[in-house]
Amino acid sequence: MATLLHIDSSVFPGEASSSRSVTAAFRKSWEEQHPEGTVIYRDLAADPVPHITADAWSAGYAAPSERTPEQSAAFAARVKLIEELEQADAVLIGAPMYNFSIPSTLKAWLDSVLLLGRTAGETPSAQGTPVVVVASRGGSYAPGTPREGFEFVQNYLEAVLKGTLGLDLDFIVPELTMAPRNPAMSDLVPLYEASRERAFEDATTKAKELAERLAA
């Protein structure tokens, strides 16, 4: 049965988080298709990956026999994350927008799994693995909106996940999530509700389609 690597990075728990709510809907649909499958779950808010250190970084370019004990320990932690990515048949990532970009915890995970000559380079080890990113945001940064130029989530993740890791990338984008809580955005509540409904529908549909694709 297929293995799903599910990563959440929102600092807010449960239904208080738009990205977590949508990734939960995706996972539920996925597990309905794969009741005997495996889910590897990482909550980067509750259990953060350490930010990259000099030892963890330099160990990737040193022969195993030449690594210091500190380098070996730091590199072993990176390898565990890399192996989770390589073992996954599909990847699900919750990536809310914080200050126009991704959470630092998600960046830390990416810094660990990006390893030139293994996950990155001419033949990335996880190349072709489908990845669905739930990129929630409080406003709208879609093309044609006033803040289009402040969108550094989708464009960054496309460069890293697709362009560098070689993953088969797809996005679900719940937007305007601050509308129900910000009086200045009250006129946008109907657009928020439509976006939220579409995100849940996309999550359920994409999970089912992906599960069927992998089972074929």
Side-chain angles (χ1 to χ4, degrees), residues 85 114 119-131 157-169:
L85 174 62
L114 278 164
T119 60
E122 292 186 7
T123 55
S125 56
Q127 186 170 16
T129 302
V131 54
L157 290 177
E158 184 166 359
V160 175
L161 297 175
K162 182 179 179 180
T164 304
L165 294 174
L167 306 183
D168 182 7
L169 176 62

Side-chain angles (χ1 to χ4, degrees), residues 16-40:
S17 163
S18 293
S19 64
R20 286 182 187 271
S21 297
V22 177
T23 59
F26 183 104
R27 179 170 168 175
K28 181 176 183 292
S29 180
W30 171 274
E31 290 179 326
E32 288 173 352
Q33 303 299 314
H34 292 290
E36 298 179 2
T38 300
V39 176
I40 302 171

